[in-house]
Amino acid sequence: MNKKGFIFDLDGVVVDTAKYHFLAWRQLANSLGIDFTEEENEQLKGVSRVRSLEKILEWGNKTLSQDEFTSLMATKNEEYLSHINKMDANEVLPDVLKVLNFLEERQQGISLGSASKNARPILERVELLNKFHAIVDGNDVSEAKPNPEVFLKGAELLDMEPHNCVVFEDSVAGVQAANRANMISIGIGEKHVLHEADYIFKDFTEMSTQFIDEIISGKISKVNQIIQ
Ligand code: BG6
Ligand code: MG
């Protein structure tokens, strides 16, 4: 069948929001007297909001009451949203729109598979909401990546079998989730970080339409089969 399901992670794949997560987490960490570096921010890629705060508290050796924890999560998100609300279509990463339009032309299934609870407002701001046939985000899943739930739900909404799906991911946990779902995993980013992916590209400008066509036709398939 010449139809596949293409599932895009959001943060770091479609838009570069890591810088806004960094600013918001740094402000919050510093307010608690905890240092927060860009290297630490790297480790929060693909990690849920709750788990991110837990990790920052672990790094700073701090414990909080449940109420304080909940309130800080809200504070972080308000600060994050203040940046998101200024985003526009110029912040879509290079050639993402080109790939989305190409897939649309080829009548492929297109879904979002993100850990973020802010996925819809972000897609709206960057004018991409109508490009996706299905959206699965942090509001729809109970298990975080590397659990494959987010991608399996995406496949289901697209009415595609997991082995006919392809995932674009910039995080290690996301690549592992795609592999566990038995989908073709395509890492977007650095080779040394995303080495578990079936294929790796620095960004979408490096991905040819021929490569995408070969995925669609089945000429290119999964390299690393899952070991259960
Ligand atoms: C992921 C990001 O996509 O979403 C993480 O890579 C982030 O950094 C997570 O923590 C949750 O996002 P949000 O918008 O729900 O806080
Ligand atoms: Mg990501």
Side-chain angles (χ1 to χ4, degrees):
M1 183 178 62
N2 282 353
K3 182 167 181 187
K4 299 277 186 291
F6 288 82
I7 307 180
F8 291 74
D9 172 48
L10 176 69
D11 296 314
V13 170
V14 173
V15 282
D16 176 20
T17 40
K19 59 189 178 204
Y20 302 132
H21 280 297
F22 174 63
L23 292 173
W25 281 130
R26 188 179 58 182
Q27 181 160 317
L28 184 132
N30 292 351
S31 77
L32 294 169
I34 302 173
D35 263 354
F36 183 63
T37 62
E38 298 221 30
E39 288 71 44
E40 283 161 339
N41 192 54
E42 274 299 303
Q43 296 178 48
L44 301 184
K45 277 189 181 171
V47 175
S48 73
R49 201 182 306 167
V50 174
R51 188 64 199 124
S52 298
L53 182 51
E54 284 171 357
K55 275 176 168 275
I56 290 170
L57 294 173
E58 278 165 28
W59 293 329
N61 230 338
K62 281 237 173 243
T63 43
L64 297 177
S65 71
Q66 187 54 51
D67 282 356
E68 285 170 318
F69 189 97
T70 309
S71 139
L72 284 181
M73 291 250 294
T75 308
K76 185 269 173 177
N77 200 48
E78 273 164 35
E79 177 61 20
Y80 179 61
L81 286 177
S82 75
H83 297 287
I84 294 311
N85 289 337
K86 290 184 215 134
M87 286 180 86
D88 62 26
N90 290 318
E91 293 199 46
V92 175
L93 286 167
D95 280 1
V96 167
L97 191 59
K98 184 183 127 188
V99 171
L100 286 168
N101 286 337
F102 183 76
L103 294 172
E104 198 171 38
E105 230 173 76
R106 293 283 194 271
Q107 297 181 306
Q108 300 300 299
I110 307 173
S111 170
L112 191 87
S114 167
S116 173
K117 294 188 172 174
N118 296 302
R120 284 168 194 272
I122 292 172
L123 287 179
E124 212 157 38
R125 284 229 64 94
V126 300
E127 296 168 30
L128 288 182
L129 194 56
N130 65 354
K131 294 284 176 195
F132 293 87
H133 307 132
I135 290 178
V136 184
D137 67 16
N139 301 295
D140 306 311
V141 293
S142 49
E143 300 292 338
K145 300 170 187 175
N147 186 290
E149 183 185 10
V150 64
F151 298 139
L152 292 173
K153 281 203 166 162
E156 204 180 311
L157 290 175
L158 291 175
D159 205 13
M160 303 288 304
E161 291 293 333
H163 69 269
N164 281 323
C165 290
V166 182
V167 171
F168 298 114
E169 253 296 346
D170 72 315
S171 75
V172 175
V175 165
Q176 291 170 341
N179 288 339
R180 288 187 198 175
N182 198 24
M183 299 177 177
I184 298 178
S185 54
I186 302 186
I188 304 292
E190 302 294 331
K191 271 202 171 78
H192 68 276
V193 180
L194 302 173
H195 53 85
E196 289 174 70
D198 292 310
Y199 303 92
I200 305 163
F201 295 89
K202 214 163 149 269
D203 57 34
F204 283 103
T205 65
E206 305 226 312
M207 194 183 299
S208 66
T209 48
Q210 187 193 338
F211 175 80
I212 299 172
D213 261 337
E214 289 183 355
I215 288 182
I216 295 171
S217 67
K219 201 166 160 198
I220 283 180
S221 57
K222 189 154 183 60
V223 176
N224 307 306
Q225 295 300 325
I226 37 168
I227 305 148
Q228 294 281 9

